[in-house]
Structure formats: structure tokens, C-alpha cells
Amino acid sequence: MQAVSSRGAGIATEAAADASWQASLGQQLQRQWHRLQARLRSTWRPLTVALLAPPHVPGDALAVDAALDAFDAWAAEHEGVNVAVQLSSRWLLCCATPEAANGAQARELAQQQWAHYFGLEAEQLNAEWLTVDALQGGAKTAALGDVRLVCAVPRALIDGLKDVARERGLQLQAAMPWWAEGLQDSLDADAVAVPAAAQPEGSTRAWAWAEPGLLNQAQAEAREGRWVLTRVWSELASDVRAEPGRTPEAVAAMAPPEPGALAWPLSPAPRRHEGWAEGLNFLGPRVRTSFWGWALLALGVVAALHAADRAAAVQDELTEAQAVVKRLQRGERQVSVQAQAASVAQATQAASAPELQAESWRHAAQLAQWLGFPWADTLDHIDATSLKHKAVLAQFSLDLATLASNEGVQPDLKLQAAVIDDTAALQWLAALGPQAMLRAREPLNTPFLTAQGRYAWRLDVVTTGGTP
């Protein structure tokens, strides 16, 4: 008769589960750490991504989906960075309203034009488009010119950019017309270099920015001693350069590195938070990060790393405590069984002592030897050596027949365990004692990975147990 324990197999299953949990946690922490590094590297010079659009009807869902797929493919390779998106004019509806007195009037005049040219009524515009306005004017900005500019973009495009940024851990800082800051710089520079007060009333200045298939243009007019932005429009163009015969004062070009590309990185841009162009940011004005914000971020990183380290320590303590509880429960059951067997043996002996035969005495002596075997010490010794030398016990068997064959006989213990390598195997074999002998060493059919390493070998060992 043999007593075989499945305890080793249970330990292997628990070890594999712990290793899987720890590997998953490690991957998540490593991913978050890489994102944080990318965020810090691009803090002062965010990456800039140009987002083109194929020719389409304004607001077309297929064009929006194609652009979001292209942006997601780029974001997958740049997780965690700070990024500003430069929008092609094909996404935009733009209208200069120099007659407007305030933002509400500027939006109303722009909506009237868009309803006339594109058939967009107010209800549809409010539901499907996101509208922003850039305003500059008054005595304080007279030297920089007057700007009343309204732009709109499909709401689905901005929502999709936010969703991609959230999934990829990006810090989306801006989504605005790619020519907005260039127009602001050109208007400011010309207001200083060519003062409107020195020009005849009604004189004009013009600028152009070319992108694949479009020529984006703006025009300002000298009115009452200042430059006033009067027109912003786009024309189809077969070339990225200005057409012959048109000589705007400044021409900037944006061309993709390969035909058909919708999203690709541009040169990193410095952080800008001033000027009317920031009003055309469809994500809202960018916020300047303070010193205390960085201090809080550093404290948060330290706290997160400490929490992760503490969680690993608590998990190790829990595993050790569970192993101790199991050994105590096993010892408690053994004491109970021994006490019950002794009580039954005494009652049986008292009731039938006069009639007890030699065969009965032999069975009683055999039972006493079985019960007297040092099960707890033997199992604790095997558990301790296995744990110390990273051996995962898979099988334990004791031949009870040899246990009771003769007085003083130490029965053979057959052990089977998984080990990492030969060094660990020899160390475990030596720790079991001089009686331990290696019977077989074979590769595991299904190796498994734990925090201790990769278990690939199975050992069959024979040793002797204690004396009852």
C-alpha cells in the first residue's frame, strides 16, 4: 500500500499563477515607466504631428475614420509623449468676420456664410461641429492688427483624437489649423515692418500656406491706421507652391514624406501660450506647467514605485503565511488521528484482551508503527529542503509495507520534483541527506515559468524516512 501526496502539484499550480500575476504587473509597470520617460522627454518641446485629409465632403465619416486610424498607428509607436496636432484645411471651415464686435457676433456671421455655401444650418453645426474663435483688437493691440476669425472642425475628429490619446497615454496639447501660428507671426511682423498708418487706406497684405492639393490664403486691409484681417480662404492647387501671377508676401509649404500619408511627425515645436492663434486650439488653451506641478509629479512617481514594492512584499508574506497555515493544519489533523486511533486501540484491547490472538497483536503492532512514524518531521524536512533549493515537489510516496516489515527498518521515500537546472538538482539531493539517490532525470513535458526561473527538468529521487 502506498500513500501518494498531490501537494506538490498544487504548489506548482499556485507558483505558476503567482508568476503570471507578477509578470502581468511587471509589464504594466514597465509600460507606464516608458510612457513617463517619453512624457518627460517631450515636455518642453512637444512632438508635432500633421494630420492631412483626403478630398471629401465636409464632415464625411469615412475620411474621419481614415485619419484616426493613421493617427493611432503613429501613436502606437510614441506612447506617452506630449503631442500637438496640426490640422489640414480640408478638415476646417474658416471665416474672417472683420465687422463683428464680439465673439458671439463673429460666430453668427460665420454660421450664415457656412449655411449659404455648405448648407449647414445652426442645429447641425452645433451638433456635429466644434467651433472656436480667435479675437484680437482694441487700443492695446492696435499695433498688432485686428483679428476676428472663426473656425470649425468635425466634432467626431476631435473626439476620436482624444480617444486615441487616452488609449495610448498621450498628452494631447493642441489640435489647431496648421497655418494659424504662421498667420499670427506674419501679421505681427508686417504690422511692425509695414505700419498700416503709413499705407494708403484700403491697401492690402497677403500671405499663403501650401499643403498637398490646397493653397491656404489670408488677406489683411489697412483701415484707420491698422491692419485688419479681412479674408481667410483655401483654393485647390495642383502644386504645393503659389500659382504664377499671385505673389503673397510669405509662402510656407507642408508636404508629406510619401504620397497618400495622412499622419506623420513634423519638427518638435516650442510651447506657445500667447497670441490670438491659441484661440483656434480646439482642445482649449494650453496650460503652463508650474514648478510645483513637477514636484507633485515626482512625488507621485516615488509613491507609485514604493506602493509596487510594498505590494510585492505583502504578496510574499501572504504566500509564506499560507504555507505555515497548511503545515499547522496538517499537524493538527495528525495529532487528532493519533489520539483517536490510540483511544480506539485501548478500548478494543480492554474489551477483547482475553481473546486477542497472535495475528491481532501483529496487526496492532503494525498500526502502532504506522502511527508512530514521524510524518510531520519527514514532511517538514522535505518541504524545507525543496523550498530552500527551489525544487517544486510534485509527488511523495512511502511504502507502508516496508515500514512494518522489521523493527528499526527505515522505509524508502520516493520523491518527484521539478527543478531549474542541474546545479539546483544536486544541491537539493545533497540537502536530503546521504541516503538520497537519484533514480531518473528527464525533461518536463510542459516546462513552466515562475519568479524563481524556468522549470524544465523532472527528478525521481529515493531516500529513507525516519525510524518509528
Side-chain angles (χ1 to χ4, degrees):
M1 181 174 62
Q2 289 186 339
V4 180
S5 172
S6 62
R7 177 178 177 277
I11 293 176
T13 303
E14 293 177 1
D18 290 343
S20 176
W21 177 84
Q22 292 176 359
S24 177
L25 178 60
Q27 291 174 356
Q28 293 179 8
L29 291 176
Q30 185 178 19
R31 185 179 184 185
Q32 293 301 325
W33 175 244
H34 289 164
R35 286 184 174 183
L36 178 59
Q37 288 180 313
R39 180 74 53 81
L40 294 175
R41 285 195 300 267
S42 59
T43 295
W44 300 110
R45 295 182 64 83
L47 301 186
T48 306
V49 176
L51 192 63
L52 284 182
H56 67 283
V57 177
D60 180 63
L62 294 179
V64 171
D65 292 342
L68 293 177
D69 290 341
F71 181 66
D72 182 64
W74 179 88
E77 300 178 359
H78 300 82
E79 290 192 355
V81 300
N82 294 276
V83 61
V85 179
Q86 303 287 342
L87 298 175
S88 163
S89 291
R90 292 188 186 275
W91 297 118
L92 306 171
L93 303 176
C94 292
C95 179
T97 58
E99 297 81 9
N102 52 48
Q105 189 175 4
R107 293 189 180 214
E108 183 178 354
L109 292 175
Q111 194 277 323
Q112 292 175 4
Q113 288 197 27
W114 296 334
H116 175 74
Y117 289 106
F118 302 104
L120 291 174
E121 299 300 331
E123 294 78 7
Q124 183 181 3
L125 187 68
N126 293 333
E128 300 177 4
W129 293 77
L130 184 62
T131 305
V132 295
D133 57 71
L135 305 177
Q136 177 178 274
K140 293 183 178 180
T141 57
L144 300 178
D146 283 354
V147 175
R148 304 286 189 276
L149 183 58
V150 182
C151 291
V153 70
R155 193 178 296 273
L157 180 64
I158 300 301
D159 291 342
L161 291 176
K162 292 180 180 179
D163 291 339
V164 172
R166 188 181 306 110
E167 181 180 353
R168 299 298 183 181
L170 304 180
Q171 182 66 37
L172 197 59
Q173 294 192 349
M176 56 196 304
W178 73 275
W179 43 260
E181 292 178 340
L183 176 56
Q184 174 182 293
D185 294 342
S186 298
L187 184 58
D188 292 349
D190 281 17
V192 176
V194 188
Q199 304 297 318
E201 189 74 6
S203 299
T204 60
R205 301 286 291 173
W207 306 272
W209 295 267
E211 63 178 274
L214 284 183
L215 188 65
N216 308 295
Q217 301 184 72
Q219 179 178 290
E221 183 178 326
R223 296 182 182 179
E224 299 179 356
R226 69 184 67 183
W227 291 110
V228 178
L229 186 65
T230 56
R231 294 183 62 197
V232 173
W233 76 101
S234 299
E235 295 181 1
L236 295 177
S238 58
D239 194 0
V240 299
R241 295 170 298 177
E243 297 178 359
R246 183 181 289 112
T247 57
E249 283 71 8
V251 175
M254 177 177 70
E258 58 186 30
L262 293 183
W264 74 94
L266 301 177
S267 300
R271 304 179 69 174
R272 304 183 65 171
H273 305 275
E274 299 178 355
W276 58 261
E278 190 65 25
L280 298 181
N281 186 357
F282 291 97
L283 302 177
R286 285 170 279 191
V287 179
R288 189 183 302 274
T289 305
S290 67
F291 167 78
W292 294 111
W294 284 109
L296 289 176
L297 176 61
L299 289 176
V301 171
V302 173
L305 294 176
H306 175 72
D309 184 66
R310 183 57 186 162
V314 169
Q315 181 65 27
D316 292 340
E317 292 175 0
L318 177 60
T319 303
E320 184 178 355
Q322 289 175 343
V324 172
V325 169
K326 290 181 180 179
R327 286 197 294 269
L328 293 175
Q329 291 175 343
R330 185 174 62 241
E332 182 180 3
R333 288 194 298 270
Q334 179 179 343
V335 171
S336 176
V337 169
Q338 289 178 347
Q340 185 177 2
S343 176
V344 171
Q346 290 177 0
T348 303
Q349 183 178 5
S352 58
E355 301 178 0
L356 193 62
Q357 303 298 321
E359 183 66 14
S360 299
W361 279 110
R362 189 179 66 81
H363 284 297
Q366 185 181 54
L367 179 61
Q369 285 183 315
W370 289 348
L371 295 176
F373 184 79
W375 297 98
D377 294 338
T378 302
L379 291 174
D380 286 343
H381 174 66
I382 293 174
D383 281 346
T385 54
S386 300
L387 182 61
K388 180 178 180 181
H389 298 285
K390 304 177 183 178
V392 178
L393 190 64
Q395 183 174 332
F396 167 86
S397 62
L398 170 68
D399 190 350
L400 296 180
T402 60
L403 174 62
S405 59
N406 291 300
E407 182 179 357
V409 172
Q410 292 185 327
D412 290 340
L413 298 175
K414 297 180 181 179
L415 308 176
Q416 187 178 93
V419 295
I420 298 175
D421 51 27
D422 290 338
T423 301
L426 293 176
Q427 291 176 348
W428 180 55
L429 196 64
L432 289 176
Q435 299 86 0
M437 295 184 296
L438 179 64
R439 295 180 57 193
R441 169 183 168 277
E442 298 178 351
L444 287 173
N445 293 332
T446 307
F448 59 91
L449 183 65
T450 71
Q452 305 294 337
R454 184 174 182 271
Y455 286 80
W457 297 97
R458 187 189 70 207
L459 299 183
D460 290 333
V461 177
V462 176
T463 184
T464 56
T467 302

